Amino acid sequence: MKIVTVFVVLIGVVNLVLAQKFDDKLIKEFKAKTNFQAVSGDKIGGIGLSGGGLLALYHLGVLQGMLEEGFLTKNHAIPIAGASAGALAGGAVCTGTDIKEVIKLYRGEIRRCLGEPFFCANSLDSVVRATLRAVSRKLKDIKRCRNRFYTQVSIVEQDDGKKPPFCSRDAPLRSKLISFYKNRGDLINTARASAWLPNISSAKMCSLTFRGKQFQDGGFTENLPCPPGSETDGKYCVKIAVFAFAPGASIFPGIRGVESFPVPADEWDALTSNIFAVEQNFDAIFDMGKKDAKFWLKSI
């Protein structure tokens, strides 16, 4: 019996050593392919989260991986900026809500949309609002998010400065990062404005009039924002993208190779709007984000 136990332990040790060597090989390949720049933790100036529809789930996995490794704390001292899906994920973190609880709510809303198609058709904004209200219900002090979480929005501009802006798919847009929130409701409405997709969030082209202006999806003007000042004085912004092999991103799907995708790599980006595939691969997408974050943290 003791011999068997020792044998099992030895097999476990060998597997760990092989896994370590495999990780080291991947890290070397990653650095070679991406002109990797080593950074120290004290040089991290901020975190940027890209837009990406339903793949906000990947962002949540990355953030959970950072929490588990101690890189990010529940007080998120490192400022975060997000656009669209990234704004929803970043906003959830700024409220201090446990990401596992956010995941539970997110899964519930996806299943509700699958079970009640007419509930979500052309009314995604109502789903986003309900989810954000549930996620932020424990937020007691809005100061927790002010100037620590930046929401990327796209403001519909007036054509001549006199007429109210005409909202269309080709409407002129102005990029803006918002970091001052009056209260919990204001934070929710800002995130909703950032995640507004024409004719998907509702039957309208633009968001509800918010702060006296109209908005479209924040990713339309800057899909991967970084907090102001996070790339100055030698600082580094950790750019997290949900699209496969995203150029310029620090953490992205495929960082560990094509074998790390839960679906064929060339089908990954379509998950941003494929609710059926996301539901089928829900846990795998979240776990992929966690593993990618830990891989990147190990590489720096």
Side-chain angles (χ1 to χ4, degrees):
M1 186 67 178
K2 288 183 178 180
I3 294 176
V4 173
T5 302
V6 171
F7 183 68
V8 170
V9 171
L10 285 174
I11 290 176
V13 171
V14 170
N15 285 337
L16 284 173
V17 171
L18 291 175
Q20 178 67 44
K21 288 183 177 180
F22 183 66
D23 281 350
D24 290 343
K25 181 181 178 181
L26 280 176
I27 289 171
K28 287 180 181 179
E29 292 176 352
F30 163 62
K31 290 181 177 180
K33 291 178 181 178
T34 59
N35 295 318
F36 180 80
Q37 178 184 2
V39 293
S40 58
D42 60 346
K43 289 295 183 180
I44 303 297
I47 295 173
L49 304 173
S50 77
L54 295 171
L55 286 177
L57 180 59
Y58 176 82
H59 279 319
L60 291 169
V62 170
L63 295 171
Q64 179 64 29
M66 289 180 165
L67 280 166
E68 291 179 2
E69 293 298 308
F71 178 79
L72 191 66
T73 68
K74 288 189 176 181
N75 291 325
H76 79 101
I78 300 174
I80 298 174
S84 193
L88 301 181
V93 169
C94 98
T95 65
T97 304
D98 191 299
I99 290 180
K100 292 179 181 178
E101 185 176 343
V102 177
I103 288 296
K104 183 178 179 180
L105 291 166
Y106 187 43
R107 190 196 297 268
E109 291 300 334
I110 282 183
R111 288 177 173 172
R112 184 177 180 184
C113 286
L114 288 171
E116 304 175 54
F118 292 106
F119 172 72
C120 297
N122 292 329
S123 60
L124 187 62
D125 178 59
S126 62
V127 179
V128 169
R129 179 175 55 188
T131 304
L132 289 173
R133 283 179 175 174
V135 166
S136 64
R137 68 183 185 279
K138 295 180 181 178
L139 179 63
K140 296 180 179 179
D141 188 356
I142 193 61
K143 292 179 182 178
R144 176 187 175 87
C145 297
R146 287 178 186 165
N147 300 317
R148 299 173 73 183
F149 171 60
Y150 295 80
T151 307
Q152 172 69 31
V153 297
S154 300
I155 304 172
V156 180
E157 290 278 54
Q158 292 182 332
D159 293 329
D160 57 9
K162 296 179 180 179
K163 296 179 181 179
F166 176 73
C167 187
S168 68
R169 190 172 294 276
D170 299 320
L173 301 173
R174 176 166 59 90
S175 174
K176 186 176 178 63
L177 275 173
I178 295 176
S179 63
F180 183 85
Y181 312 101
K182 299 175 184 177
N183 48 45
R184 171 172 166 258
D186 195 43
L187 172 67
I188 291 172
N189 287 337
T190 307
R192 289 170 61 199
S194 179
W196 188 274
L197 291 168
N199 298 133
I200 296 177
S201 293
S202 84
K204 298 179 181 179
M205 292 298 297
C206 290
S207 76
L208 67 168
T209 300
F210 171 54
R211 295 188 179 183
K213 299 182 182 297
Q214 295 184 94
F215 297 82
Q216 287 187 3
D217 192 274
F220 289 175
T221 52
E222 180 56 67
N223 194 51
L224 212 172
C226 281
S230 62
E231 297 181 285
T232 61
D233 301 324
K235 295 179 181 177
Y236 181 85
C237 177
V238 184
K239 297 180 179 179
I240 303 168
V242 304
F243 293 102
F245 307 107
S250 312
I251 302 173
F252 52 86
I255 191 173
R256 292 179 293 116
V258 294
E259 298 83 4
S260 63
F261 287 92
V263 298
D266 59 354
E267 297 177 11
W268 171 265
D269 288 356
L271 295 183
T272 57
S273 58
N274 189 336
I275 193 170
F276 298 98
V278 168
E279 199 277 333
Q280 291 171 356
N281 296 279
F282 194 93
D283 292 327
I285 294 169
F286 180 69
D287 287 340
M288 181 185 185
K290 283 203 302 183
K291 291 177 180 177
D292 287 352
K294 293 180 179 183
F295 174 83
W296 182 82
L297 287 168
K298 187 176 180 181
S299 71
I300 65 172

